[in-house]
Amino acid sequence: MTRRVTITEVAREAGVSKGTVSRVLAGTYAVSPVTADKVNRAVKALGYLPSVRARALATGKANAIAVVVSEPFDLMFADPTFSVIMKGVFDAMSNTEYTPIVLQVQSEIEQRKAIYLLRNQGVDAVIHLSPWEDNGLLEALADSSLPVVLCGQTRNERYVEKFSLVYADDVEGARNAARHLLDKGVQKPIAITGAITQPAAEDRVNGYREVFDSQLSDDRAFYCGWSEQDGVQAIQTVLQRQIAFDGVLAGSDRIARGVLTVLRAKGIMVPDEVKVIGFDDHAIATEFYPELTTIAQPMHEQGRLAFETAVAMAEGKEATTYILNTQLIERSTT
């Protein structure tokens, strides 16, 4: 096993103090060009690799941002929401000094390991992509001094005061989706969306009801998950119960695709007999026929803004909430 070269050896090789080596490596202190050249030559000659932990302790910065997802790995990669937001984070980070550290935190053991890393100056800030599924990490972060940005909503007032939030306006988006179906003549809508415990699902149904009111009664709103299979099961339940409908307000594009699969198999024509609108504007909206009318969320922008907010908080800025606008994209299903 190769022994790690120490900063003491670099200092001895360069003929300077350990403090001078640290200042040169940090790059944030005034050091003469001659001294800096000596240190850099010694670093190269000895193959010295600075300790990230030591640098963090010396400078107060780890130059790393934790990107946390508390969903299971299979869902993390199956749901394009996470990948698009994450790409926004990584694109914004690419030309900076920061490195992303991706943490998949679901079990209690994973949470304990994540908390240990985060509390011990392993990162400068945290970006949490799925705060609605968290089971303890947020509480630990709220008790720490780490800057935290949530990509999504929370109903916990303590978190709203402590953390920055970046999310799309689900009520506005849902309201626009419902208005679009109403303008297209829909009178008997149903809504299929994620779990009622998730703020996004609740807000989308509230937005739909601002437009359809009593036409979207409780027995016409179905809370499940966000996947295609959830859409399949929900619309099958609607058909089995013989609920009359001429429009489907799907809380995600994946739900909408599941709905379209069943309607096609049943010979129900879209959009002639039933109009369908999704939410997100993922690639899946246009990968298959018919192309899906949907509400576009600025997810890449959300990731970019989350990173910029995390850096600003790490530099001492206060927590802020950003609510992003959505956009109606009309295609073949309406």
Side-chain angles (χ1 to χ4, degrees):
M1 182 175 178
T2 303
R3 185 180 64 83
R4 188 185 186 106
V5 177
T6 68
I7 194 170
T8 300
E9 291 171 293
V10 174
R12 186 183 304 120
E13 177 75 14
V16 298
S17 68
K18 290 193 297 182
T20 298
V21 175
S22 295
R23 288 192 290 274
V24 171
L25 295 177
T28 55
Y29 301 93
V31 179
S32 73
V34 173
T35 299
D37 184 62
K38 287 181 180 179
V39 171
N40 288 327
R41 287 175 179 273
V43 167
K44 185 176 181 180
L46 297 175
Y48 174 71
L49 294 174
S51 165
V52 174
R53 168 74 171 153
R55 183 178 63 186
L57 289 171
T59 66
K61 287 187 64 178
N63 287 346
I65 303 288
V67 182
V68 176
V69 182
S70 53
E71 299 278 2
F73 257 124
D74 54 350
L75 181 57
M76 176 179 167
F77 290 105
D79 189 340
T81 299
F82 298 117
S83 60
V84 177
I85 296 176
M86 199 175 292
K87 187 176 188 305
V89 172
F90 290 178
D91 286 349
M93 197 182 297
S94 62
N95 292 322
T96 73
E97 62 186 358
Y98 289 94
T99 298
I101 297 177
V102 180
L103 299 175
Q104 196 271 340
V105 180
Q106 187 184 17
S107 69
E108 290 185 11
I109 293 176
E110 290 166 340
Q111 284 185 15
R112 286 198 297 270
K113 290 190 290 187
I115 290 168
Y116 179 82
L117 171 68
L118 300 177
R119 282 178 170 171
N120 284 274
Q121 295 184 293
V123 298
D124 298 310
V126 178
I127 299 173
H128 203 314
L129 300 190
S130 52
W132 55 86
E133 289 293 338
D134 192 89
N135 293 312
L137 181 58
L138 288 183
E139 195 63 27
L141 290 173
D143 290 331
S144 76
S145 60
L146 263 177
V148 177
V149 181
L150 307 184
C151 287
Q153 297 187 59
T154 175
R155 302 296 195 228
N156 188 314
E157 289 299 323
R158 183 188 183 206
Y159 297 164
V160 172
E161 294 176 1
K162 174 80 175 180
F163 304 146
S164 287
L165 279 67
V166 183
Y167 61 91
D169 192 332
D170 291 301
V171 174
E172 175 208 43
R175 190 187 299 126
N176 290 337
R179 283 175 181 159
H180 179 69
L181 290 195
L182 185 63
D183 290 344
K184 292 292 183 177
V186 169
Q187 294 296 313
K188 294 175 287 186
I190 60 169
I192 305 173
T193 189
I196 195 170
T197 56
Q198 296 185 1
E202 181 184 7
D203 279 0
R204 288 173 196 180
V205 172
N206 287 339
Y208 299 149
R209 282 181 170 150
E210 284 188 20
V211 176
F212 279 112
D213 196 21
S214 60
Q215 291 171 283
L216 189 61
S217 53
D218 288 345
D219 62 334
R220 303 182 73 84
F222 296 83
Y223 299 92
C224 46
W226 303 101
S227 71
E228 290 184 53
Q229 188 56 36
D230 290 314
V232 167
Q233 292 176 351
I235 197 65
Q236 286 175 339
T237 298
V238 170
L239 294 170
Q240 289 166 2
R241 294 179 183 176
Q242 298 184 334
I243 299 173
F245 66 99
D246 58 0
V248 178
L249 296 151
S252 74
D253 292 344
R254 296 168 69 209
I255 290 173
R257 277 297 169 200
V259 168
L260 291 171
T261 297
V262 173
L263 296 182
R264 182 169 57 248
K266 296 291 185 180
I268 299 173
M269 302 298 293
V270 176
D272 296 341
E273 297 177 79
V274 174
K275 293 173 173 54
V276 179
I277 187 167
F279 211 109
D280 292 329
D281 196 31
H282 287 312
I284 194 174
T286 56
E287 286 176 344
F288 306 98
Y289 182 82
E291 294 191 347
L292 181 64
T293 296
T294 189
I295 300 297
Q297 295 193 77
M299 286 173 285
H300 188 275
E301 170 69 7
Q302 184 180 2
R304 181 195 66 77
L305 184 56
F307 169 70
E308 292 179 355
T309 303
V311 172
M313 290 181 72
E315 294 173 349
K317 298 292 179 62
E318 295 294 324
T320 310
T321 294
Y322 297 96
I323 304 176
L324 308 180
N325 293 326
T326 59
Q327 181 183 5
L328 172 70
I329 308 293
E330 184 176 0
R331 298 191 180 101
S332 304
T333 58
T334 58

